[in-house]
Amino acid sequence: MRTSAGLRLADWSALDFPAVGRIPDRVADEVVLLVSELVTNAVVHAGTAVEVSCALDVVSGEGPSGDGEVPSVVVEVTDHHPTRFLRGEPHDEDDPGCAGHGLRLVAELAECWGTAYRRASKTVWFQLPVSSAEAGESGEAAESGGFVESAEGSLRDDTRRNGALKGGGDCLNGDSPGDDAYVVELLAPAPARVGARDADEDWTRAGALSFLADASELLAGQFDEDLVTSLAAQLLVPRFADWSAVWLDTEGGPPRLAMVWHASESRIETLSRLLEKEPPELPATARGRAVPWPWPSDPAAYGPGGAALACRLIAGGRAVGTLLLGRAGLMRVPDEVADLVEDFARRVALALASARQYTRQATISRVLQRGLLPSRLAKIPGVESAVVYEPTGGTSAGGDFYDIFPAGDGRWVFVLGDVCGNGPEAAVVTGLVRPWLRLLAREGYGVGAVLERLNRMLGEEAVEAAVEGAAEAVAAGVGLPVGGGVSRFLSLLYGELVPLGEDGDGGVRCTLASAGHPLPLVVRPDGSVRTVAEPQILLGVVEDVAYDCETFELAPGETLVCVTDGVTEHRSGARQFDDGNGLASLLGDCAGLGAKDVAERIREAVHAFAVEPPDDDLAMLVLRAR
């Protein structure tokens, strides 16, 4: 091939075509070199037959004859593997089959060059000017593209004139040039943009609608913004881009580079370092539009030249970040592709906004938990304790609460409560009850007296809330809320522990009362289980109620188990977990286990009871006398 190319150029020089003169040796050598590289590239990578076409062309410019015409050599190398895209990436030094410089060498020597993709073939072409100081006098200009060495499979003269090679034809306006239409990707600057079908076939084949549907499904329901950015970058690469990056806006600080991805993973680290130094700054007028972005200059990180797009991520009128992507081998990204990127960016922005909202809510919930639940449980001499707490829906604060704290005079208090309902409304009541209980206990009130005073406080709060709710409803002209607003009903296990013997080695004396709460169970070392306390009315239902308490001793080796109705009433179809004394039967097999092991055994049994997770807050408190 290279010998034929050299001989053909020598023949043309000998014929002394008008407007061409003698083809300089330098140009001939460069043509032979580039033909050799492209043929080798095609044979190695495509593995098909290769056709080489050489033509003389004349374009407007300062020619050797001074008549404004510049003669050029146009060479086309065609193989029959249309699906393989040559990116001009560095070859693998360890693979002898990948030797050569290919497109990088073409980019250095050719005036302009590119690739053309047909349905059944791919052509790489380049153009070299013939004019030089050595060129001889020329006569009349030769007809453009009139000397085509290989007819079949070449880019013919009429095709060039229609804009497929030189640009400026109907293809640029979206008209199809015919049944043998193809897409040309320019990999280096050219006098004019090469035309294309009204859609880039590579992008069209991917299926924009299918891609957006898949992207929406993957991004929906993601509550981690870093996971959203990771999905966004990897959805684009390598399907639509060679590399992509996502920046996230921060409050009062510079944008954070959250994700970088490259089709060549060895370039990701270098690309990340460079992008961190060059965060994109788009004008405010860009909003959510995809705008062209300069292709970065470092080929070691980005790959060979191409086109890049930047798009602000806008959700609810607020910017949350910036998406940047690049594709090698393009002078500009087609409008159809830019539209697709804008649609994709909107979906990414919405997913990011949802993830950030979820993160804010989770943070608020964690802050509430720190205020509504004890940061640590007091250690009672001679007693081992364990707690399980699982709010509904994975929130950090709900209607169930617990506490263990010293009350003075050698007394320790334990509490397990359940506000009617769950979520934020129940958490409001929890935030009121826990400090009240601590205050009353440390003031020296006994078990029954604490429950009676708490009951009155809840009644007063319920009346005040009902009055305020009614006033707001009247002012707004709406109906009164059923029940007067937030429920103030509360079930509660409240007890005092007094260690017996030295450091509690003789067990503990327990005094407790149950107000509408599942009754606690005591597990003896022999595996027998008994119920303690008597059921009494919920707190907050009736204003004046006297609550009775029960006192018993928890001997060494005995375990007191307190649970909320999220345990006993957990359902599997028509059955509940505690039907047929299910909890007592489970505890009968827990004799001799430590408090943490008993608590974990109950938790596992509750979750295994039904396919669906519990629909109520789950809490339990286990106390075992050593």
Side-chain angles (χ1 to χ4, degrees):
M1 289 287 186
R2 57 186 297 179
T3 303
S4 298
L7 292 175
R8 184 59 58 192
L9 293 176
D11 291 343
W12 287 346
S13 294
L15 291 174
D16 193 19
F17 286 116
V20 175
R22 188 176 68 84
I23 298 177
D25 293 339
R26 177 186 58 79
V27 175
D29 291 342
E30 289 177 353
V31 169
V32 171
L33 175 61
L34 296 183
V35 167
S36 175
E37 287 290 335
L38 292 180
V39 169
T40 301
N41 206 355
V43 170
V44 170
H45 294 290
T48 69
V50 178
E51 300 167 2
V52 178
S53 170
C54 296
L56 289 177
D57 201 356
V58 177
V59 297
S60 298
E62 294 295 333
S65 60
D67 56 5
E69 295 180 329
V70 179
S72 298
V73 176
V74 179
V75 177
E76 304 157 11
V77 177
T78 302
D79 64 61
H80 298 277
H81 196 322
T83 60
R84 183 179 296 277
F85 289 72
L86 297 179
R87 299 298 188 192
E89 296 184 357
H91 63 272
D92 187 349
E93 298 291 349
D94 297 328
D95 184 0
C98 293
H101 300 282
L103 301 185
R104 290 182 296 165
L105 188 59
V106 176
E108 292 293 329
L109 298 179
E111 178 184 50
C112 61
W113 60 287
T115 57
Y117 295 92
R118 297 184 180 86
R119 293 187 181 89
S121 65
K122 178 185 80 274
T123 297
V124 180
W125 60 270
F126 65 86
Q127 180 174 322
L128 285 173
V130 173
S131 62
S132 71
E134 302 177 17
E137 295 294 327
S138 59
E140 296 181 0
E143 183 176 332
S144 174
F147 303 95
V148 179
E149 181 66 14
S150 172
E152 184 177 355
S154 65
L155 301 178
R156 293 181 176 274
D157 54 336
D158 57 340
T159 305
R160 292 194 190 90
R161 285 193 294 269
N162 282 336
L165 182 59
K166 293 182 181 178
D170 294 336
C171 296
L172 199 58
N173 299 322
D175 298 330
S176 173
D179 292 338
D180 195 33
Y182 48 82
V183 177
V184 175
E185 293 183 320
L186 277 184
L187 303 180
R193 188 181 186 280
V194 174
R197 279 193 175 208
D198 79 320
D200 183 330
E201 291 183 12
D202 186 34
W203 297 74
T204 304
R205 282 197 301 267
L209 293 178
S210 175
F211 168 72
L212 291 174
D214 292 343
S216 298
E217 183 176 356
L218 285 171
L219 294 171
Q222 301 297 341
F223 300 132
D224 185 335
E225 64 179 21
D226 287 330
L227 179 57
V228 171
T229 59
S230 178
L231 285 172
Q234 295 185 60
L235 281 168
L236 292 171
V237 178
R239 192 173 187 181
F240 294 117
D242 293 308
W243 57 268
S244 65
V246 181
W247 278 264
L248 294 180
D249 290 357
T250 59
E251 294 184 6
R256 174 174 70 90
L257 182 59
M259 184 62 187
V260 176
W261 196 246
H262 199 296
S264 177
E265 294 188 29
S266 62
R267 289 177 171 165
I268 293 177
E269 184 176 352
T270 305
L271 178 58
S272 298
R273 288 198 301 267
L274 293 175
L275 288 176
E276 285 178 345
K277 301 176 183 177
E278 304 172 356
E281 296 182 2
L282 274 66
T285 55
R287 298 300 291 165
R289 292 186 298 106
V291 298
W293 194 256
W295 185 269
S297 59
D298 191 340
Y302 296 90
L309 285 178
C311 185
R312 288 290 276 163
L313 301 173
I314 307 292
R318 298 185 60 183
V320 296
T322 303
L323 173 67
L324 184 62
L325 61 93
R327 187 180 183 201
L330 292 179
M331 286 293 290
R332 61 180 292 272
V333 178
D335 293 340
E336 296 81 0
V337 176
D339 292 342
L340 177 66
V341 171
E342 291 174 3
D343 286 341
F344 176 72
R346 282 191 286 272
R347 287 160 171 78
V348 174
L350 290 173
L352 284 172
S354 298
R356 288 188 169 185
Q357 180 66 24
Y358 176 84
T359 300
R360 282 192 291 269
Q361 292 175 347
T363 301
I364 293 172
S365 192
R366 285 193 296 270
V367 171
L368 283 174
Q369 182 185 29
R370 288 196 293 268
L372 299 178
L373 300 176
S375 57
R376 63 183 181 86
L377 297 178
K379 293 184 178 181
I380 305 172
V383 176
E384 178 188 354
S385 61
V387 169
V388 170
Y389 179 71
E390 295 180 353
T392 304
T395 59
S396 299
D400 289 6
F401 63 96
Y402 60 89
D403 203 355
I404 299 177
F405 58 90
D409 300 327
R411 299 176 300 131
W412 274 261
V413 171
F414 68 91
V415 176
L416 183 64
D418 182 3
V419 180
C420 291
N422 48 44
E425 294 83 1
V428 170
V429 181
T430 301
L432 295 173
V433 170
R434 269 193 65 243
W436 285 348
L437 288 172
R438 287 197 170 211
L439 177 62
L440 291 171
R442 287 169 177 168
E443 288 294 320
Y445 290 102
V447 173
V450 168
L451 293 185
E452 291 166 10
R453 283 163 174 76
L454 179 60
N455 182 62
R456 285 198 295 270
M457 291 177 179
L458 288 172
E460 293 170 0
E461 285 288 327
V463 171
E464 291 179 6
V467 171
E468 291 176 1
E472 292 176 358
V474 171
V478 298
L480 295 178
V482 178
V486 178
S487 172
R488 292 302 196 268
F489 301 152
L490 170 68
S491 72
L492 185 71
L493 272 176
Y494 180 89
E496 284 185 359
L497 296 175
V498 177
L500 303 175
E502 187 176 349
D503 295 328
D505 56 5
V508 292
R509 183 172 65 250
C510 179
T511 302
L512 61 78
S514 172
H517 203 85
L519 298 180
L521 301 173
V522 173
V523 185
R524 297 188 177 95
D526 61 3
S528 60
V529 180
R530 66 185 177 93
T531 302
V532 292
E534 295 294 330
Q536 300 179 79
I537 193 170
L538 286 168
L539 296 168
V541 177
V542 180
E543 186 173 350
D544 293 321
V545 177
Y547 286 91
D548 297 325
C549 56
E550 178 179 334
T551 300
F552 61 93
E553 289 189 5
L554 194 65
E558 291 186 338
T559 302
L560 178 66
V561 178
C562 310
V563 301
T564 61
D565 58 10
V567 174
T568 57
E569 297 179 5
H570 180 43
R571 305 188 69 88
S572 177
R575 296 170 54 241
Q576 292 186 348
F577 182 78
D578 199 34
D579 285 350
N581 296 320
L583 179 58
S585 299
L586 172 66
L587 293 176
D589 297 328
C590 295
L593 296 180
K596 292 182 179 179
D597 292 333
V598 172
E600 182 62 20
R601 183 76 64 88
I602 299 172
R603 190 194 70 80
E604 291 177 352
V606 170
H607 284 282
F609 181 71
V611 176
E612 297 296 327
D615 58 1
D616 193 5
D617 298 336
L618 188 72
M620 64 189 79
L621 176 62
V622 180
L623 303 170
R624 182 177 185 272
R626 294 191 178 94

